[in-house]
Amino acid sequence: MSITEHELEIKLEGVEDPELGDDIISLGLVNDVTIDDETARISLAFNAPYAPSELELGNRIREVIQDAGLEADLRAHVGEDHGFDDEVLPRVRNVIAVSSGKGGVGKTTVAANLAAGLDKRGANVGLLDADIHGPNVPQILPPESDPGVTPNEEIVPPRSDGVRIISMGMMMEDDDDPAILRGPMVNKFMMKFLEGVEWGRLDYLIVDLPPGTGDATLNLLQSMPVTGSVVVTTPQEMALDDTRKGIQMFNKHDTPVLGVVENMSSFICPSCGDQHGLFGTGGADTIVDKYDVPLLGRIPIHPDFGADGSEGALVKDDDSEVQSHLEDVVGEVADRIGEQNRRTVAENVTYEPTNKLPTETED
């Protein structure tokens, strides 16, 4: 006799979420189990597409299903019942804010490579350049066309190697034109970028914030459901001081800090391959220890990473010596997004075998 749905649920209790320390059934991560014609259709409360940890959890679930003699059909669905905002940006799954306490630490380069790296994994990604006075995203990811406009006067972002991007830099007649704007006008442009862009369906929207803790960042935190923030720093103590202030700001606004990226962590000599700590070593470790946030990765100084102004994200350049460091950061960020989202589900859903959620359409 074929296994029943209840029996399969009991077997799935053997799949543990390694980050949350409990099984996926008890955590409320299984929305629905249906068996039809020797196929088990499982709806999962996962919301970090292409995150390595969630892909691994999916593989373990498939193994349980196959051991039960069934074919696996896994789908993903989360919504308001799981603790997620369905009103603001309903077609955007995750908003990731990339910030820094001060300028010049490579925040935009990290944001652009994070967006390109998630696109490389297969996700639908948008990149919002919210640094109104220093819009550098188009230099790394040049748009393939001009922005469009819908009949409702919403901006349609162009693509750059698969990533949809919007930047103040696209609105300037000349690349060297400064954005001479006072506070109210900056806020006006920010709100247009936050509320007046037709992104379409996105798995991840990366927001490259201006440095510091000013109005633009506060507007984002108050206007968007930010899944989490990535803080970029360099090893110098002055940069670390400002990084601490940035983390405190996110904590005061109940925005999860996904972790810290230490850029310019060391210099890789292009001729001999030796590494040298030009700006000190291990500076980000003090942030990690004090605020109990993950270190998402260390990115070395290298001539082809943000130094020569070359176009394109190096995370997609197989010949770059920096690519592996960037790929590690992308994977870590996706995993932290997945962990944060599954924790949100666990905090908002009480598992009741007799009260299943309806199965959703295919993801």
Side-chain angles (χ1 to χ4, degrees), residues 45-67:
F46 287 1
N47 197 38
Y50 303 97
S53 59
E54 291 199 353
L55 291 174
E56 177 59 28
L57 276 173
N59 290 335
R60 290 165 60 193
I61 293 169
R62 288 187 178 89
E63 290 174 0
V64 171
I65 295 172
Q66 290 169 0
D67 289 344

Side-chain angles (χ1 to χ4, degrees), residues 85-145:
D85 190 325
D86 278 347
E87 297 297 323
V88 181
L89 297 177
R91 301 179 68 193
V92 177
R93 288 187 168 193
N94 299 286
V95 178
I96 306 173
V98 180
S99 70
S100 65
K102 63 187 292 98
V105 300
K107 168 185 56 65
T108 296
T109 310
V110 171
N113 277 274
L114 175 58
L118 289 168
D119 171 77
K120 179 182 176 181
R121 289 173 178 265
N124 292 319
V125 186
L127 175 56
L128 169 58
D129 185 355
D131 193 347
I132 303 297
H133 289 108
N136 296 319
V137 163
Q139 295 180 22
I140 304 171
L141 294 175
E144 297 167 0
S145 63

Side-chain angles (χ1 to χ4, degrees), residues 42 79 106-107 111 116 145 155 157-158 176 212 218 233 262 278 313:
I42 312 293
K107 168 185 56 65
S145 63
I155 302 172
D176 293 334
L218 296 178
T233 187
E262 186 182 79
L278 299 182

Side-chain angles (χ1 to χ4, degrees), residues 240-260:
L240 296 170
D241 284 344
D242 291 334
T243 299
R244 295 183 185 97
K245 296 172 185 176
I247 291 176
Q248 288 279 52
M249 177 197 63
F250 287 118
N251 289 338
K252 289 180 180 179
H253 285 81
D254 296 323
T255 301
V257 177
L258 303 174
V260 176

Side-chain angles (χ1 to χ4, degrees), residues 202-235:
L202 293 181
D203 297 316
Y204 302 95
L205 174 60
I206 313 301
V207 183
D208 178 28
L209 291 172
T213 56
D215 286 350
T217 298
L218 296 178
N219 283 339
L220 173 74
L221 298 180
Q222 294 167 359
S223 304
M224 277 189 174
V226 179
T227 309
S229 63
V230 173
V231 182
V232 182
T233 187
T234 52

Side-chain angles (χ1 to χ4, degrees), residues 15-302:
V15 179
E16 181 177 298
D17 186 316
E19 279 80 26
L20 303 188
D22 207 342
D23 69 87
I24 60 174
I25 296 292
S26 300
L27 291 169
L29 297 175
V30 177
N31 297 322
D32 187 69
V33 176
T34 303
I35 298 176
D36 181 31
D37 194 23
E38 302 303 312
T39 297
R41 294 182 173 85
I42 312 293
S43 170
L44 299 167
F46 287 1
N47 197 38
Y50 303 97
S53 59
E54 291 199 353
L55 291 174
E56 177 59 28
L57 276 173
N59 290 335
R60 290 165 60 193
I61 293 169
R62 288 187 178 89
E63 290 174 0
V64 171
I65 295 172
Q66 290 169 0
D67 289 344
L70 300 171
E71 295 292 325
D73 181 4
L74 306 185
R75 308 181 184 199
H77 169 72
V78 295
E80 187 177 358
D81 291 339
H82 300 90
F84 295 95
D85 190 325
D86 278 347
E87 297 297 323
V88 181
L89 297 177
R91 301 179 68 193
V92 177
R93 288 187 168 193
N94 299 286
V95 178
I96 306 173
V98 180
S99 70
S100 65
K102 63 187 292 98
V105 300
K107 168 185 56 65
T108 296
T109 310
V110 171
N113 277 274
L114 175 58
L118 289 168
D119 171 77
K120 179 182 176 181
R121 289 173 178 265
N124 292 319
V125 186
L127 175 56
L128 169 58
D129 185 355
D131 193 347
I132 303 297
H133 289 108
N136 296 319
V137 163
Q139 295 180 22
I140 304 171
L141 294 175
E144 297 167 0
S145 63
D146 292 330
V149 181
T150 70
N152 296 327
E153 296 187 351
E154 292 182 313
I155 302 172
V156 179
R159 292 181 183 268
S160 178
D161 196 18
V163 177
R164 303 170 203 181
I165 63 171
I166 279 295
S167 172
M168 187 69 182
M170 300 176 185
M171 313 300 172
M172 301 295 188
E173 292 185 6
D174 188 275
D175 291 342
D176 293 334
D177 286 345
I180 304 175
L181 301 170
R182 294 186 182 274
M185 286 302 296
V186 172
N187 290 337
K188 181 178 180 180
F189 275 103
M190 271 295 301
M191 295 312 298
K192 180 63 175 179
F193 284 168
L194 295 178
E195 299 176 352
V197 177
E198 175 50 64
W199 291 103
R201 178 185 172 277
L202 293 181
D203 297 316
Y204 302 95
L205 174 60
I206 313 301
V207 183
D208 178 28
L209 291 172
T213 56
D215 286 350
T217 298
L218 296 178
N219 283 339
L220 173 74
L221 298 180
Q222 294 167 359
S223 304
M224 277 189 174
V226 179
T227 309
S229 63
V230 173
V231 182
V232 182
T233 187
T234 52
Q236 304 102 309
E237 187 56 40
M238 189 174 294
L240 296 170
D241 284 344
D242 291 334
T243 299
R244 295 183 185 97
K245 296 172 185 176
I247 291 176
Q248 288 279 52
M249 177 197 63
F250 287 118
N251 289 338
K252 289 180 180 179
H253 285 81
D254 296 323
T255 301
V257 177
L258 303 174
V260 176
V261 175
E262 186 182 79
N263 194 25
M264 307 181 196
S265 62
S266 61
F267 171 68
I268 299 179
C269 177
S271 58
C272 67
D274 290 345
Q275 294 194 37
H276 307 276
L278 299 182
F279 300 133
T281 57
D285 293 338
T286 62
I287 302 289
V288 169
D289 294 339
K290 181 174 181 178
Y291 293 101
D292 192 27
V293 296
L295 178 64
L296 300 172
R298 289 187 167 95
I299 303 173
I301 303 172
H302 194 277

